[in-house]
Amino acid sequence: MSLRPPSSGPGATLVASDLDRTLIYSSAALQLGVPDAEAPRLLCVEVYEGKPLSYMTETAARLLAELAGATVFVPTTTRTREQYGRIHLPGPRPRFAICANGGHILVDGVPDLEWHDQVTRKIARECAPLDEVRDHLRSAADPAWLLKERVAEDLFAYLVVERAFLPDGWVKELGEWAEARGWTVSLQGRKIYAVPRPLTKSAAMRELARRTGAALTLAAGDSLLDADLLLAADLSWRPGHGELADAGWAAPQLTVVPETGAAAGEEILRRLARVAARGRA
């Protein structure tokens, strides 16, 4: 497969992809599904406190390097800027990145302050204050299963929980409370996110598509916080695992790859590269 040279301007292809559990995986999420002797070679792409944390297969790393060299590849994550900074993806360093679920656009590693100001003003107009949501999270959570409570970039809040002890219906009740205040709730692994509704990956992707003159937008993701991104792209993919898979979520332009774990990351990259190589499908 031969990808076209990288382009930014009329006719460009922009690829906006979630990272965690879409392209990169913790050791617990790899789901290799083969005997140890047949396991693929892995590339560590993130180290935290001196320990390896996130991986890709070497095949996925090669595919990503080729894709990033031939498209406008945009890592698109709910991670904070600091958390994103720990990741070292193969291939050329992306010129653009979307962090904090769309709250920050990085251009050559530097935050676009005008974009951030635009987002925060919209949140202030349309949503209940972060402090109100944070107070509710802390008061509603049970210390028996709450491990941590955090705020990310002064934009959204999340809890780290012992999921096995999380009461049935608790997340649903929280979601109903949050929805009335302009917020959304998402459960991902051990984390429960509360995010202002205007804080979306899709809005940031559209802005970068406008700036780069992209004629085709492609996206990938696995969680409910990726749903708006997958809907906004011309074509999108999700793995056979994750929050969207558990919900049976689908859309006309979405392709579900049957693979799970790290194998899903490889297959998503193959399909992104195939479409990018031929242009608009």
Side-chain angles (χ1 to χ4, degrees), residues 5-78:
S7 62
S8 180
T13 296
L14 185 147
V15 178
S17 180
D18 176 51
L19 296 177
D20 293 280
R21 295 175 62 88
T22 299
L23 297 187
I24 69 175
Y25 293 82
S26 69
S27 57
L30 283 167
Q31 299 181 41
L32 296 177
V34 295
D36 291 347
E38 300 173 19
R41 286 166 58 97
L42 300 174
L43 173 70
C44 178
V45 295
E46 179 185 15
V47 173
Y48 180 55
E49 295 183 343
K51 298 178 181 179
L53 185 61
S54 298
Y55 303 86
M56 308 177 74
T57 67
E58 287 192 346
T59 297
R62 174 182 56 78
L63 291 167
L64 178 56
E66 293 173 358
L67 183 71
T71 66
V72 181
F73 174 71
V74 183
T76 305
T77 180
T78 304

Side-chain angles (χ1 to χ4, degrees), residues 197-255:
R197 191 176 295 122
L199 187 65
T200 64
K201 295 178 178 180
S202 59
M205 182 196 72
R206 288 190 185 100
E207 172 63 14
L208 290 179
R210 181 190 66 81
R211 293 187 192 185
T212 60
L216 178 66
T217 54
L218 310 178
D222 72 295
S223 81
L224 286 174
L225 291 176
D226 297 314
D228 65 286
L229 176 71
L230 302 181
L231 286 171
D234 294 314
L235 296 170
S236 55
W237 290 261
R238 72 162 172 85
H241 64 255
E243 204 176 22
L244 294 176
D246 292 344
W249 189 85
Q253 72 274 47
L254 175 75
T255 297

